[in-house]
Amino acid sequence: MKFRINLFSIINGIALLMVVAATLYPFVHMLAVSLSSDSYVIQNTVSIWPKGFNLDMYKVVLEDSKIWAAYKNTIIYTFTGTLISLLITSTGAYALSRSDMALRKSLTMLIVVTMFFSGGMIPTFLVVRSLNLVDTVWGMVLPGAVSTWNLILMRTFFAGIPKELEESGRMDGLNDIGIFARIIVPLSKASFATIALFYAVSMWNNFLGPLLYLRSSELFPLQVLLRNMVLAGTSSSGDVTGIGGDNQIVEESLKYATIMVSTLPILAVYPFIQKYFVQGAMIGAVKG
Amino acid sequence: MGQANALPETTAGRNRERPQLRERVMKIWRRNKLLWLLFLPCLLYYLIFKYLPMFGLVITFKDYNLFKGIWASSWVGFKYYRMFLENPDFLLLMKNTFLLGLYRLVFGFPAPILLAILLNEVRKASFKRLVQTVSYLPHFISNVIVASMVIMFLSPTGGLINNLLGGLGIGPVNFMNEPGFFRIIYVLSEIWQHIGWETIIYLAALTAIDPQLYEAAEMDGAGRLRRIWHITLPGISPAIVITLILNIGQVLEIGFEKVFLMQNPAIYETADIISTYVYRVGMQQGNFSYGASIDLFMGVISLVFIYSANWISRRISETSLW
């Protein structure tokens, strides 16, 4: 009996370690290849540890002004977008969380319907276009400003705040906006952080938005630049060929370096902010 | 809602009714105006970016022309719907979309349940946390990067997978140009990306199981597998049912980004789905009316899907989304 239990634990442990390995291996491999010298990359001998360590690829990537411009665009879109999304979502969610607001049910219905039916890609594009938002920062930020899922999540957060606190605010002469700004917001810092992170990540990773609403390359965010460099195969600059003998292979480590450079921010902050995401998802899972 | 409907229907004399009604409306207005003001940006967002496009769907019955605008374009009735139904690619696109969604459901749905059960059996909290933290990570990696990784690892020249196969004497396979591989590659990449994150709903449900149940079962001599079968699975079955309904309802709603990034003309035979076709026809070729018609057609079918899934589930298990 004892033996069987241990056997189960061992198999279980091995299975889970394989999940960990399968998740991390691609990143480790890309990092190793991007840090290795060409000769080893050409021989395909690099696995998880760089051979012939050098930073040449990173020099090429970081000297490319297009990368920096795209980085800047992504940061601008992410920052502005998160701020606007948070503002619209939190105020809307608070109003919907108040059971004494007239028309609450109809307005909630109005929002939930959009989860099941939408106009689709083309009519939405035509609206964005007719508002002259194509090729502007606002075109990146506004069309996806509110995620219905996040709105409902936030409404659930707010609905959990004891009503007595609102009452005491009212006694102190605060109106509804005052109650929201002075009582609800300070009490919900953690939920604001969670929702802000959800918005920031989806903005940072957004590809469809810029694909549809951006035309000029100087406005492209990182994801579009990455796609053009890595998938469409147009390498970043002319000097790539000067580095190694076999273009195909060297391009590969260059591409890995580009991927690493653009993923690093998420990989670096992820361990620290992970718990906020999970909290948010938990509340969504339990109450949603 | 209640207050809005509570307006008096009976009349207590014409002269008295009018001021009374107005008074009530004013009262509701005074009591709600600030809350409504808080809600206003949100309302405007939904009206402009969600409802306006729904009215824009009128272009599916018109020959929409960018320069003429919606109103001046001429009516064509069901021309574009007929065009789609008569399109030789229609059946192929439907099949590709449906099969890709079905594969994702069949393989992608059980995977996180299995992982959650395995995680639940881990005694060491630190190891469990490590596995969780690591396995959630790919959920936050962009589709562009995941698609890039997939394509590069599978590349016939120097790709990781082909290097491994080469070591076994299997000579380079051009995975991304073989229509037969696309679905399995897509589904595997979906599992890799989301398996960890999707365990959260089950792990949340597992925390609600009384640990005494496990102790009692252990006392009765039940082994690990029996405990999983009789305690863990029943404990998470409501979560399983809800997720299953949601997933069945979303079979046809396949994320545009990753399929678009992973496909190429050589494998359209299996990799071209409705949303990527809509993008090509509507956005790239500028045939807005046709693209929007196809999109709406699929939207309606998708709606039928989620509605039926919910209806069936309410019938057989009393668990439903609404």
Side-chain angles (χ1 to χ4, degrees):
Chain A
M1 194 63 209
K2 191 83 186 145
F3 174 71
R4 275 192 60 196
I5 288 171
N6 285 338
L7 188 66
F8 185 96
S9 298
I10 290 165
I11 294 172
N12 193 17
I14 291 173
L16 291 174
L17 277 176
M18 277 165 68
V19 171
V20 171
T23 309
L24 291 182
Y25 184 74
F27 297 109
V28 178
H29 176 72
M30 287 194 293
L31 192 63
V33 170
S34 64
L35 290 171
S36 298
S37 73
D38 305 337
S39 51
Y40 294 101
V41 178
I42 291 167
Q43 289 163 28
N44 293 323
T45 53
V46 182
S47 178
I48 60 168
W49 201 251
K51 290 181 178 171
F53 182 89
N54 70 82
L55 291 167
D56 291 353
M57 288 305 155
Y58 288 89
K59 275 185 204 131
V60 175
V61 173
L62 294 177
E63 274 166 13
D64 189 340
S65 61
K66 272 192 275 178
I67 290 268
W68 292 106
Y71 239 109
K72 197 187 87 195
N73 286 335
T74 292
I75 290 170
I76 291 173
Y77 301 151
T78 304
F79 186 76
T80 340
T82 306
L83 216 62
I84 288 176
S85 295
L86 212 52
L87 192 71
I88 304 180
T89 308
S90 63
T91 50
Y94 176 64
L96 289 181
S97 78
R98 283 276 297 265
S99 52
D100 57 333
M101 183 178 77
L103 297 177
R104 180 173 85 122
K105 282 198 179 138
S106 322
L107 292 172
T108 309
M109 204 54 200
L110 186 90
I111 282 166
V112 172
V113 163
T114 63
M115 287 178 104
F116 299 102
F117 189 77
S118 76
M121 183 191 283
I122 289 167
T124 310
F125 168 77
L126 293 178
V127 167
V128 172
R129 188 180 166 276
S130 68
L131 293 170
N132 287 323
L133 297 180
V134 168
D135 241 7
T136 65
V137 177
W138 304 112
M140 282 295 85
V141 164
L142 292 177
V146 180
S147 132
T148 305
W149 175 251
N150 288 347
L151 184 78
I152 291 175
L153 205 63
M154 236 179 167
R155 192 197 60 170
T156 313
F157 280 135
F158 291 146
I161 295 174
K163 290 277 165 283
E164 292 75 32
L165 291 167
E166 288 174 5
E167 287 306 321
S168 70
R170 199 160 290 128
M171 303 266 215
D172 292 343
L174 290 176
N175 60 24
D176 288 323
I177 294 178
I179 291 173
F180 175 69
R182 302 267 185 82
I183 296 178
I184 302 295
V185 175
L187 278 174
S188 322
K189 280 189 197 124
S191 28
F192 270 83
T194 306
I195 300 291
L197 286 172
F198 277 132
Y199 275 126
V201 168
S202 73
M203 209 51 127
W204 185 280
N205 286 341
N206 189 6
F207 171 71
L208 181 58
L211 182 72
L212 292 176
Y213 307 136
L214 290 184
R215 293 285 171 273
S216 38
S217 57
E218 63 268 25
L219 286 173
F220 284 168
L222 213 42
Q223 301 302 331
V224 174
L225 184 79
L226 260 182
R227 182 255 183 167
N228 290 346
M229 282 168 77
V230 179
L231 292 179
T234 50
S235 49
S236 57
S237 54
D239 5 20
V240 180
T241 42
I243 292 172
D246 190 333
N247 275 338
Q248 191 70 38
I249 304 290
V250 172
E251 230 169 64
E252 187 176 330
S253 39
L254 181 74
K255 284 173 179 178
Y256 286 153
T258 315
I259 289 177
M260 289 319 295
V261 165
S262 56
T263 321
L264 218 58
I266 288 191
L267 293 180
V269 296
Y270 169 74
F272 306 101
I273 58 178
Q274 183 246 137
K275 71 167 200 243
Y276 290 103
F277 288 122
V278 177
Q279 272 167 12
M282 280 279 199
I283 286 166
V286 175
K287 300 197 176 165
Chain B
M1 184 85 175
Q3 285 135 327
N5 287 343
L7 298 173
E9 283 174 36
T10 53
T11 49
R14 269 190 174 279
N15 295 341
R16 291 251 304 279
E17 185 205 6
R18 282 209 159 176
Q20 206 180 9
L21 183 82
R22 224 174 109 174
E23 223 169 82
R24 288 201 176 216
V25 170
M26 284 309 289
K27 204 175 157 197
I28 290 169
W29 168 252
R30 270 199 306 276
R31 198 185 295 151
N32 288 288
K33 64 179 180 201
L34 289 179
L35 283 178
W36 282 341
L37 183 66
L38 279 175
F39 189 71
L40 187 66
C42 194
L43 181 69
L44 285 177
Y45 171 79
Y46 276 91
L47 291 180
I48 295 171
F49 292 107
K50 300 286 173 181
Y51 281 90
L52 214 53
M54 288 188 206
F55 290 105
L57 284 169
V58 68
I59 65 165
T60 65
F61 301 108
K62 289 191 160 206
D63 243 333
Y64 179 74
N65 179 312
L66 268 186
F67 303 103
K68 280 189 189 165
I70 291 180
W71 299 117
S73 302
S74 52
W75 291 95
V76 293
F78 285 92
K79 173 184 161 191
Y80 286 110
Y81 293 95
R82 225 177 298 130
M83 198 165 134
F84 183 50
L85 291 174
E86 285 163 7
N87 185 335
D89 290 336
F90 167 71
L91 278 178
L92 183 72
L93 287 166
M94 292 290 282
K95 187 182 124 194
N96 285 347
T97 310
F98 180 74
L99 279 183
L100 199 58
L102 188 70
Y103 279 33
R104 191 187 50 177
L105 178 72
V106 170
F107 299 103
F109 173 71
I113 300 176
L114 188 68
L115 181 59
I117 290 171
L118 295 187
L119 278 169
N120 190 49
E121 294 298 320
V122 174
R123 295 279 157 85
K124 224 176 157 189
S126 60
F127 180 61
K128 186 177 170 186
R129 227 177 8 251
L130 172 83
V131 178
Q132 283 177 274
T133 305
V134 169
S135 66
Y136 298 159
L137 172 66
H139 182 78
F140 299 100
I141 300 297
S142 78
N143 284 322
V144 175
I145 288 175
V146 174
S148 306
M149 283 173 13
V150 168
I151 290 172
M152 294 182 68
F153 289 162
L154 292 172
S155 148
T157 49
L160 179 67
I161 304 292
N162 269 310
N163 290 347
L164 290 175
L165 289 178
L168 300 170
I170 304 167
V173 185
N174 199 348
F175 289 101
M176 296 315 284
N177 278 328
E178 291 280 343
F181 285 121
F182 179 77
R183 290 190 189 114
I184 189 69
I185 292 170
Y186 175 82
V187 170
L188 284 175
S189 81
E190 281 285 291
I191 294 177
W192 182 79
Q193 216 177 342
H194 302 298
I195 186 172
W197 188 250
E198 285 168 359
T199 59
I200 290 179
I201 183 171
Y202 302 115
L203 292 173
L206 281 169
T207 56
I209 296 178
D210 188 350
Q212 285 181 339
L213 285 176
Y214 288 104
E215 286 161 25
E218 204 172 349
M219 228 107 75
D220 290 344
R224 274 294 212 2
L225 294 174
R226 289 194 78 98
R227 274 178 272 153
I228 290 173
W229 185 254
H230 291 291
I231 301 172
T232 309
L233 273 175
I236 57 173
S237 64
I240 293 179
V241 173
I242 288 276
T243 318
L244 185 62
I245 307 170
L246 272 173
N247 286 2
I248 292 175
Q250 285 171 347
V251 158
L252 296 173
E253 311 243 317
I254 300 163
F256 166 85
E257 285 189 359
K258 209 156 84 180
V259 177
F260 175 76
L261 291 161
M262 281 172 64
Q263 69 175 199
N264 65 67
I267 50 170
Y268 277 166
E269 188 185 329
T270 54
D272 203 14
I273 60 170
I274 299 282
S275 58
T276 53
Y277 188 75
V278 166
Y279 175 78
R280 273 210 316 283
V281 169
M283 299 297 301
Q284 287 185 323
Q285 294 165 16
N287 203 339
F288 294 106
S289 287
Y290 188 33
S293 306
I294 301 170
D295 217 2
L296 177 60
F297 182 83
M298 282 313 282
V300 172
I301 295 181
S302 195
L303 206 59
V304 171
F305 246 82
I306 190 150
Y307 191 82
S308 324
N310 194 57
W311 184 82
I312 292 168
S313 138
R314 195 160 44 186
R315 274 292 163 99
I316 58 174
S317 73
E318 292 177 7
T319 317
S320 68
L321 295 177
W322 65 81

